[in-house]
Amino acid sequence: MRDVLIDTGCIVALLDRSERNHTRCAEAVRTVSGRLVTCEAVIAESCYLLRHQRGAADTILENVERGAFQIPFRLDESSAPVRAHMKRYARVPMDFADACLVALAEIHGTGRILTLDGDFHIYRWRRTRRFEFLVD
């Protein structure tokens, strides 16, 4: 089973039942096989965006603690690729969390992603590989 990247929008939709993509994301997570991997930047964005939803940040961190969300990414080992991605996609523009996810795709050899972010249609991992969207 290959790892599956999970982005901020999907985490937010999972925890906010009023979010219009909640059902789509919940179904995608239920049916996907593989570890859900992400980076601390995505966790931080998700906690911030859900800051007004009672208990959401705690739930996100609990998911990290129990291993539902794996965080194998280390910025100190990947800062050069992150910077290169942000420069390459400066016109999009690419934010820090997205750059970390592209670097994570390269490290783990997978473009399978749970995201609502259309910019991942533009981004490429390992220079030419397209991401495989797992949220219908």
Side-chain angles (χ1 to χ4, degrees), residues 80-134:
V82 168
R83 289 175 56 226
H85 293 312
M86 291 176 78
K87 287 177 185 174
R88 179 177 182 198
Y89 294 105
R91 289 188 177 169
V92 173
M94 175 182 267
D95 68 29
F96 176 68
D98 289 355
C100 290
L101 286 174
V102 174
L104 191 56
E106 294 169 342
I107 292 165
H108 287 268
T110 184
R112 300 173 68 214
I113 190 165
L114 293 163
T115 188
L116 301 171
D117 186 344
D119 289 341
F120 281 90
H121 287 292
I122 298 166
Y123 304 150
R124 298 290 181 265
W125 61 283
R126 293 193 180 153
R127 303 260 336 140
T128 60
R129 296 186 180 195
R130 295 177 183 269
F131 282 89
E132 177 187 349
F133 283 67
L134 301 177

